[in-house]
Amino acid sequence: MRKCIVFFLTAALLLVSHGAGAKGFDIVYGPWIQNVTETEFTVMWTTEGKSLSWVEVAPDDGTPFEAAQRPRYYQTMAGKRFTGTFHTVRIAGLEPGKSYRYRILGKEVVDDSDPYGSIYGKEATLRLIGTVKTLDHAADTCRFSMVNDIHDDASKYISLVGPVKGRPVDFLLLNGDIVSYATSIDTVIRHTFGPVSDIIKDVPVVFARGNHEGRGADSYRISGLFKTPTGEFYYIFRQGPVAFVVLDGGEDKPDSSVEYSGLADYDSYRQTELEWLREAVKDPLFAEAPVKVAVCHIPLIDNTSSWYSQAWLARNFTPVLNEAGVDLMLSGHLHRHVYVEAGECGNGFPIVVNDNKSRLDFRAVAGQILIDIYDMSGTKVKSYTFDIE
């Protein structure tokens, strides 16, 4: 009895003193939506202090969120609900092509030093309703917007992506080098998700790693910010008539380059990815899609100006993509707009390289791919139409 009294007195003191200097548990960055499929999606966010948090989900049918008891989805690790500051909650059991509302709730962890008596603050809603639509392989269209090579420039990021808000896009594609270096994972989160937080709470983020995301002491942790079907930076997925293969070119110079301080092992990494690619394009999810699009930050262009990894990727990945019947490749990296017609350098598909100051809007419908490219002022600067046989 005495032990219980001491425990509850300690709890009371902690709760009373909480206002003086303790961290709150408000959301700092996020939420951002990851790994959307026909039946699930993942919600991620960070909090200032530790919390026990969960997500509630409801159909987007206009009824009040509080009209029914909503299921709670927690982040768990080996059978235990997670408490911390970096939150990842997977929502499963959903229906294809359906819109869902979600909200994030939680309780602040005031003290968890006692293994049998964690003390929590009051329950609170951390983020009001966001809306997510699951993918649908049977949909007749696919729409998304793409940016790349932002390099920590928040004003550029906002100018390019701001117009996406409220538009009927299936996802936002970040095609590499959103940051310049990953010296701090907190800085990566701030620059990748912070400037567009009002958009990515509703629009899923698809990520293709750039070479700059592989630089810096915290580059090892970047994969934790993005959930993919394979758990790697290379994967396939499908929306409507379009199947995507997302590739990772790694660094752009030889592994022996002095800049990598003896840490680079991208040659073997790309070889492993190549072996995966040969099998991935045979997956019915990809092989049976009417439209096939490859995404790679480093473009598969092989010419006299191609750097080391660019040439290797073109000579090794391109034959596999040709045989798989890829219709288009989207890239960045070069910081200038480049269009390569099919057949120019062994490629059986056109390659569109977006520059570092433009947004590319993609739409596939009725046997065509339509691409419009906009500059930072919102002016359309280029358009392409590709007929799909």
Side-chain angles (χ1 to χ4, degrees):
M1 175 65 73
R2 182 179 179 183
K3 184 177 180 180
C4 291
I5 293 173
V6 171
F7 172 78
F8 284 115
L9 284 173
T10 302
L13 288 171
L14 283 166
L15 288 170
V16 169
S17 64
H18 169 63
K23 285 186 176 181
F25 71 125
D26 291 337
I27 290 178
V28 179
Y29 294 111
W32 62 92
I33 307 302
Q34 285 286 285
N35 202 25
V36 181
T37 72
E38 288 195 306
T39 59
E40 67 178 70
F41 63 86
T42 296
V43 186
M44 305 178 72
W45 70 96
T46 68
T47 52
E48 183 181 8
K50 292 177 70 173
S51 71
L52 172 64
S53 297
W54 60 91
V55 177
E56 294 181 353
V57 175
D60 189 18
D61 56 8
T63 60
F65 208 101
E66 298 79 6
Q69 185 70 32
R70 307 299 184 185
R72 290 183 172 184
Y73 297 85
Y74 290 87
Q75 178 179 358
T76 62
M77 300 180 69
K80 184 177 181 180
R81 288 175 179 168
F82 172 81
T83 60
T85 61
F86 186 87
H87 305 273
T88 303
V89 176
R90 175 174 168 263
I91 315 298
L94 308 177
E95 298 178 20
K98 189 170 182 178
S99 184
Y100 293 87
R101 294 169 294 164
Y102 72 92
R103 64 180 181 179
I104 300 171
L105 300 95
K107 296 187 292 186
E108 182 178 8
V109 177
V110 177
D111 180 43
D112 58 359
S113 60
D114 188 327
Y116 293 103
S118 293
I119 301 167
Y120 302 105
K122 291 183 179 180
E123 179 179 316
T125 300
L126 303 185
R127 186 56 50 101
L128 295 175
I129 298 168
T131 306
V132 180
K133 187 175 182 180
T134 53
L135 301 184
D136 183 3
H137 300 173
D140 56 6
T141 62
C142 174
R143 303 172 65 118
F144 66 86
S145 292
M146 181 187 99
V147 294
N148 49 274
D149 300 283
I150 300 296
H151 288 287
D152 308 321
D153 189 332
S155 61
K156 178 197 297 185
Y157 201 0
I158 294 167
S159 294
L160 293 176
V161 177
V164 174
K165 186 175 182 179
R167 292 186 179 180
V169 294
D170 297 307
F171 54 88
L172 172 66
L173 171 58
L174 304 181
N175 201 347
D177 287 3
I178 306 305
V179 298
S180 293
Y181 310 104
T183 51
S184 162
I185 196 65
D186 292 335
T187 301
V188 173
I189 294 171
R190 175 163 59 90
H191 285 298
T192 303
F193 304 114
V196 292
S197 59
D198 60 333
I199 296 171
I200 59 175
K201 69 181 179 63
D202 303 312
V203 178
V205 174
V206 173
F207 180 68
R209 186 173 70 155
N211 53 302
H212 276 263
E213 274 98 9
R215 301 175 183 178
D218 272 2
S219 58
Y220 306 99
R221 301 176 61 187
I222 285 185
S223 62
L225 306 182
F226 303 97
K227 299 300 177 185
T228 72
T230 61
E232 304 284 353
F233 289 119
Y234 46 86
Y235 53 96
I236 61 172
F237 72 99
R238 179 172 170 177
Q239 165 58 10
V242 187
F244 297 87
V245 55
V246 179
L247 301 170
D248 179 13
E251 267 293 3
D252 53 3
K253 293 177 280 294
D255 288 349
S256 58
S257 296
V258 65
E259 293 92 338
Y260 304 146
S261 307
L263 298 177
D265 192 21
Y266 289 103
D267 285 341
S268 60
Y269 174 76
R270 283 185 288 263
Q271 185 63 43
T272 299
E273 182 179 0
L274 175 59
E275 294 167 5
W276 167 85
L277 177 62
R278 290 178 176 135
E279 297 304 314
V281 294
K282 299 175 185 176
D283 188 319
L285 181 71
F286 187 84
E288 296 177 4
V291 183
K292 302 175 180 67
V293 173
V295 175
C296 189
H297 174 73
I298 297 176
L300 274 57
I301 301 172
D302 187 12
N303 55 33
T304 55
S305 63
S306 297
W307 282 25
Y308 175 79
S309 66
Q310 182 175 322
W312 190 96
L313 291 165
R315 294 167 192 174
N316 288 274
F317 283 13
T318 298
V320 181
L321 299 178
N322 285 344
E323 186 175 353
V326 164
D327 298 295
L328 175 70
M329 167 164 276
L330 299 176
S331 297
H333 186 59
L334 301 182
H335 289 208
R336 67 183 188 277
H337 176 80
V338 176
Y339 174 67
V340 181
E341 291 188 358
E344 280 192 21
C345 55
N347 52 311
F349 45 86
I351 302 172
V352 177
V353 181
N354 193 41
D355 68 27
N356 61 331
K357 296 179 181 179
S358 298
R359 183 188 75 251
L360 183 152
D361 288 349
F362 173 106
R363 183 163 59 100
V365 60
Q368 286 188 323
I369 294 175
L370 307 173
I371 289 179
D372 295 319
I373 299 176
Y374 296 85
D375 65 16
M376 291 175 60
S377 71
T379 302
K380 185 191 296 187
V381 292
K382 293 184 185 298
S383 293
Y384 295 97
T385 300
F386 303 101
D387 293 321
I388 307 301
E389 297 180 358

